[in-house]
Amino acid sequence: MYKIYPKTLFLGQIIQYLPSCQSTNDEASALIAHADPSEGTLVITDNQTAGRGQRGNQWEAKTGQNLTVSAILRPTFLSASEQFWLNIALSLGIYDTLHPLIGDSLRIKWPNDIYVGNQKLGGILIENILHGYNIEWSIVGMGLNINQTEFGYTTATSLQLQSPLPNAYDLPGILSRLCETLEQRYIQLRSGQRDSLKINYLQILYRYQEEHSFESEGQLFRGTIVGVDTTGRLAIAVDGQVRYFGFKEVSFIM
């Protein structure tokens, strides 16, 4: 059971804890459909049996060792075409919690993964419910590897692997801090501070302003990430021209 006391106005003030579930995002969706939850409600579990990642990938997490949580938000101030601003703000919120523990090797990998070096420590899956042209509800699913030290993939890492403690990290304590930093960034977005959010995002964007290899439609190419447009497309300079790619249109070559 998670008992936390974050210094927030709304995020994390109400928690629905489930010892096990298929997906916290699915449980949050059911709450929206049937219970009209308060903004900032969290759904958290120790054992997510069918967690989803970006591009439909499975999310690997051992029971009770990591943070698997979904936050329910109501960003009605955003239109459907502006939804990537939520990714920017909340990715920064996660960064704000982890950076003091990990340091400058921490990066946000477009569109919304958390990386240390070339290894993935966590990710976000945001699912929006629209009302007309605006977002009515957002379900922000977050998976963060905290205490787990063994993974089936060499590309995965955790807080404990990157910054070891003699004993395990306190999950409720990290969650409480996470609620605070997420809310701060969300309020920053809600108050219209988009320029500063964008600057902060680009400063810590994985491989920003570096030439690397990418793949799109089966073709390999070299390019340099030069930004992200207002709809969330990744801007890559290729042979003197800037090309724009949506979420499933380009892959990073490690």
Side-chain angles (χ1 to χ4, degrees), residues 46-253:
D46 287 325
N47 181 30
Q48 183 170 249
T49 59
R52 302 188 303 280
Q54 198 63 249
R55 302 174 188 265
N57 295 329
Q58 290 292 106
W59 178 254
E60 175 192 5
K62 290 188 177 179
T63 301
Q65 296 187 17
N66 307 302
L67 283 178
T68 307
V69 58
S70 294
I72 297 174
L73 297 175
R74 299 204 70 174
T76 55
F77 55 90
L78 292 175
S79 68
S81 64
E82 297 173 318
Q83 59 187 287
F84 193 74
W85 285 103
L86 201 57
N87 290 52
I88 289 176
L90 299 180
S91 295
L92 285 168
I94 293 176
Y95 179 91
D96 293 341
T97 288
L98 296 177
H99 180 258
L101 304 173
I102 293 176
D104 291 340
S105 58
L106 190 67
R107 287 288 182 267
I108 297 172
K109 179 175 176 286
W110 178 90
N112 45 22
D113 286 334
I114 308 300
Y115 263 53
V116 182
N118 291 318
Q119 293 180 295
K120 182 175 178 178
L121 186 143
I124 309 173
L125 179 64
I126 300 178
E127 298 176 310
N128 296 309
I129 299 171
L130 305 181
H131 181 73
Y133 294 105
N134 282 19
I135 300 173
E136 183 170 15
W137 297 93
S138 287
I139 301 168
V140 184
M142 294 166 282
L144 300 178
N145 296 331
I146 305 298
N147 290 315
Q148 185 171 337
T149 56
E150 295 181 357
F151 296 91
Y153 304 94
T154 58
T155 53
T157 190
S158 68
L159 181 56
Q160 180 67 9
L161 285 173
Q162 294 296 325
S163 185
L165 284 182
N167 298 311
Y169 279 90
D170 173 40
L171 293 180
I174 293 177
L175 178 62
S176 182
R177 177 58 183 157
L178 181 63
C179 288
E180 294 166 3
T181 58
L182 288 171
E183 184 178 276
Q184 288 164 8
R185 291 294 189 173
Y186 181 69
I187 291 174
Q188 190 179 359
L189 175 62
R190 193 169 64 184
S191 64
Q193 300 177 48
R194 295 186 179 187
D195 288 345
S196 57
L197 285 169
K198 184 74 169 289
I199 290 169
N200 292 163
Y201 183 82
L202 292 178
Q203 286 172 337
I204 57 174
L205 186 63
Y206 178 73
R207 292 186 174 177
Y208 180 59
Q209 297 289 8
E210 300 175 4
E211 186 180 17
H212 286 279
S213 295
F214 300 88
E215 180 182 356
S216 180
E217 297 181 339
Q219 300 295 316
L220 291 175
F221 64 93
R222 298 282 291 180
T224 301
I225 295 173
V226 294
V228 177
D229 75 4
T230 56
T231 63
R233 295 183 303 169
L234 188 66
I236 303 177
V238 184
D239 297 328
Q241 294 186 329
V242 178
R243 298 170 59 185
Y244 294 88
F245 298 89
F247 290 172
K248 298 183 180 181
E249 296 174 353
V250 66
S251 298
F252 291 71
I253 304 300

Side-chain angles (χ1 to χ4, degrees), residues 6-27:
K7 298 175 183 178
T8 60
L9 297 174
F10 54 90
L11 196 53
Q13 294 298 321
I14 299 174
I15 293 180
Q16 176 169 315
Y17 168 76
L18 302 168
S20 179
C21 71
Q22 285 194 332
S23 162
T24 55
N25 267 28
D26 289 349
E27 295 292 338

